[in-house]
Amino acid sequence: MGSSIYGVSSSHISLFLFFSFLSLSTAALPQNPSGKSSPSGQINSNSVLVALLDSHYTELAELVEKALLLQTLEEAVGKHNITIFAPRNEALERQLDPEFKRFLLEPGNLKSLQSLLMFHIIPKRVGSHQWPDPKTSPAKHNTLCNDHIRLTSQSTGKKTVDSAELVRPDDVIRPDGVIHGIQQLLIPRSVIEDFNRRRNLRSITAVLPEGAPEVDPRTHRLKNPAPVPVGAPPVLPIYDAMAPGPSLAPAPAPGPGGPRHHFDGESQVKDFIQTLLHYGGYNEMADILVNLTSLATEMGRLVSEGYVITVLAPNDEAMAKLTTDQLSEPGAPEQIIYYHIIPEYQTEESMYNAVRRFGKVKYDTLRLPHKVVAQEADGSVKFGHGEGSAYLFDPDIYTDGRISVQGIDGVLFPEEETQTVKKPAAVKVASKPRRGKLLEVGCWMLGSLGGGSGFRWCQ
């Protein structure tokens, strides 16, 4: 048996003294001479992360803390040097889209914020002198978010990181990394796609089920108008926005905008009427719109409220065929023009493609409930029926995205009116004198009572 001291063998004492000496010698060695953080998560005061948090890039440092990235960055610094591309405070504070900034700061979008910030960090040290030469291809570097950025140089000396200009090269230099100041924020494609996806979902889920708008039948206005964003389509159909009747002054449309219109409809209508006059051959149509009726004013108000129209304008030769009886009745000019206005924006190409594909196309008009029929004929578009038809004669006289004017070579009338005009003549030709049923019965009774005298009297 070996010697022992108070029950402890000498071999155990020697092993204890060896480990004590080893631990003391390890503690005496200098820790992390390169300035890197230890793998245990502790960083020293000379680290680039401490410099970032204490630097003038306060907006970026605040986002790093909100993204809970300090531990991840400490582990990255413990493994290798890093390079941080820090956007200016103004780029994050004033130049960033407020909606995008709200998206980044929402708790549910933490991964997007982390990906955005790690896109500004590459796991290697790249000084300003290591930028590629202007004559060479851009240098590609992987980032901490498993994406890559490109470093480029120009002949003027300008250096860029993707689309951001390098404005403060080697701004902060530490043993474990370097910080470069850049002009703007770098946004990876994955974050942009996530932002667009969330925005689209938000717009869909934000729509609340609502009933149809209530219209006051006396004023043709919405009873409880809701605020409508600028540029949105009108709430009511165009028929509710029209004037109450041809004999009355045009009523302002009840669509969005009120006194402040989204579109300058009056100027657009004035412009298209002047175009008709300069084009030539459509003076009668312009005269009816401006002088004979107040339709030009009404059309301007409709366009101002966001409605679009297509005008089928008969030329002067067609308008000259109208008789005095057709224009003398109260409201007749308005009804004729209403039948030539389509509450859609159509061009010669769109209408021709439609009739080529579907054969016959019925377009709504402002003269309810009548529709105008269009079909292909002789390589053009033909409107109407039979003898009362008209061809698209001068296509696209005026097109501005809100008003479309198409010249035709005839005046159109609804099919029902054409049939009612021809019906009396057909009745006169087909009518024949016919003995009434009551008279036949009376003659038969007289014949049966008085022999053949009653029958001869009836004859």
Side-chain angles (χ1 to χ4, degrees), residues 133-205:
D133 191 80
K135 298 180 181 180
T136 61
S137 59
K140 186 186 296 186
H141 295 278
N142 291 328
T143 65
L144 291 183
C145 69
N146 296 325
D147 209 334
H148 63 270
I149 57 177
R150 297 175 182 270
L151 307 183
T152 56
S153 300
Q154 299 180 5
S155 57
T156 57
K158 179 181 177 182
K159 299 178 180 180
T160 59
V161 183
D162 276 355
S163 59
E165 181 183 357
L166 188 68
V167 292
R168 297 176 70 98
D170 300 328
D171 192 19
V172 178
I173 300 177
R174 291 294 184 270
D176 56 355
V178 60
I179 300 177
H180 302 291
I182 57 177
Q183 182 74 20
Q184 62 188 29
L185 186 70
L186 303 175
I187 306 176
R189 183 179 297 273
S190 60
V191 176
I192 295 177
E193 293 175 353
D194 195 14
F195 170 64
N196 292 333
R197 191 183 309 112
R198 295 293 179 88
R199 181 169 55 180
N200 294 338
L201 290 175
R202 189 186 305 115
S203 64
I204 294 174
T205 56

Side-chain angles (χ1 to χ4, degrees), residues 14 31 37 45 72 88 113 160 167 179 229 288 330 352 381 452 457:
S14 301
Q31 294 185 0
S37 302
S45 59
T72 304
R88 300 177 303 114
L113 178 59
T160 59
V167 292
I179 300 177
I288 290 179
Y352 184 70
V381 182
W457 177 79

Side-chain angles (χ1 to χ4, degrees), residues 5-220:
I5 302 176
Y6 299 105
V8 181
S9 64
S10 59
S11 59
H12 288 174
I13 296 175
S14 301
L15 191 61
F16 172 74
L17 292 176
F18 172 76
F19 279 113
S20 300
F21 173 76
L22 185 62
S23 62
L24 289 175
S25 61
T26 305
L29 292 176
Q31 294 185 0
N32 209 359
S34 63
K36 294 183 182 179
S37 302
S38 62
S40 61
Q42 299 292 331
I43 60 174
N44 69 46
S45 59
N46 202 28
S47 173
V48 69
L49 292 182
V50 176
L52 173 64
L53 298 178
D54 294 339
S55 67
H56 53 272
Y57 299 107
T58 55
E59 292 291 329
L60 179 62
E62 183 180 353
L63 288 179
V64 170
E65 293 181 357
K66 290 182 178 179
L68 307 176
L69 279 179
L70 287 178
Q71 174 120 18
T72 304
L73 297 181
E74 287 174 5
E75 294 176 357
V77 170
K79 296 177 182 179
H80 34 59
N81 277 215
I82 63 173
T83 301
I84 301 176
F85 301 102
R88 300 177 303 114
N89 287 334
E90 292 80 3
L92 296 173
E93 192 174 11
R94 301 188 186 93
Q95 299 175 3
L96 195 62
D97 182 13
E99 186 177 356
F100 182 67
K101 191 171 184 178
R102 285 195 299 270
F103 162 79
L104 293 176
L105 297 179
E106 289 178 0
N109 303 324
L110 181 62
K111 290 186 177 180
S112 297
L113 178 59
Q114 291 176 345
S115 299
L116 176 76
L117 295 175
M118 289 192 293
F119 188 66
H120 292 73
I121 304 173
I122 57 178
K124 64 182 298 186
R125 188 187 191 94
V126 180
S128 60
H129 62 282
Q130 295 176 295
W131 247 254
D133 191 80
K135 298 180 181 180
T136 61
S137 59
K140 186 186 296 186
H141 295 278
N142 291 328
T143 65
L144 291 183
C145 69
N146 296 325
D147 209 334
H148 63 270
I149 57 177
R150 297 175 182 270
L151 307 183
T152 56
S153 300
Q154 299 180 5
S155 57
T156 57
K158 179 181 177 182
K159 299 178 180 180
T160 59
V161 183
D162 276 355
S163 59
E165 181 183 357
L166 188 68
V167 292
R168 297 176 70 98
D170 300 328
D171 192 19
V172 178
I173 300 177
R174 291 294 184 270
D176 56 355
V178 60
I179 300 177
H180 302 291
I182 57 177
Q183 182 74 20
Q184 62 188 29
L185 186 70
L186 303 175
I187 306 176
R189 183 179 297 273
S190 60
V191 176
I192 295 177
E193 293 175 353
D194 195 14
F195 170 64
N196 292 333
R197 191 183 309 112
R198 295 293 179 88
R199 181 169 55 180
N200 294 338
L201 290 175
R202 189 186 305 115
S203 64
I204 294 174
T205 56
V207 177
L208 298 177
E210 297 179 358
E214 297 184 11
V215 183
D216 191 342
R218 295 180 295 104
T219 61
H220 281 257

Side-chain angles (χ1 to χ4, degrees), residues 371-415:
K371 299 175 183 280
V372 60
V373 178
Q375 58 185 328
E376 182 190 7
D378 302 329
S380 181
V381 182
K382 177 183 175 183
F383 300 96
H385 307 269
E387 298 178 358
S389 61
Y391 285 85
L392 185 57
F393 191 69
D394 292 318
D396 297 339
I397 296 177
Y398 181 86
T399 52
D400 63 357
R402 313 297 307 176
I403 302 174
S404 173
V405 181
Q406 308 293 325
I408 58 177
D409 61 354
V411 180
L412 302 174
F413 290 95
E415 187 178 7

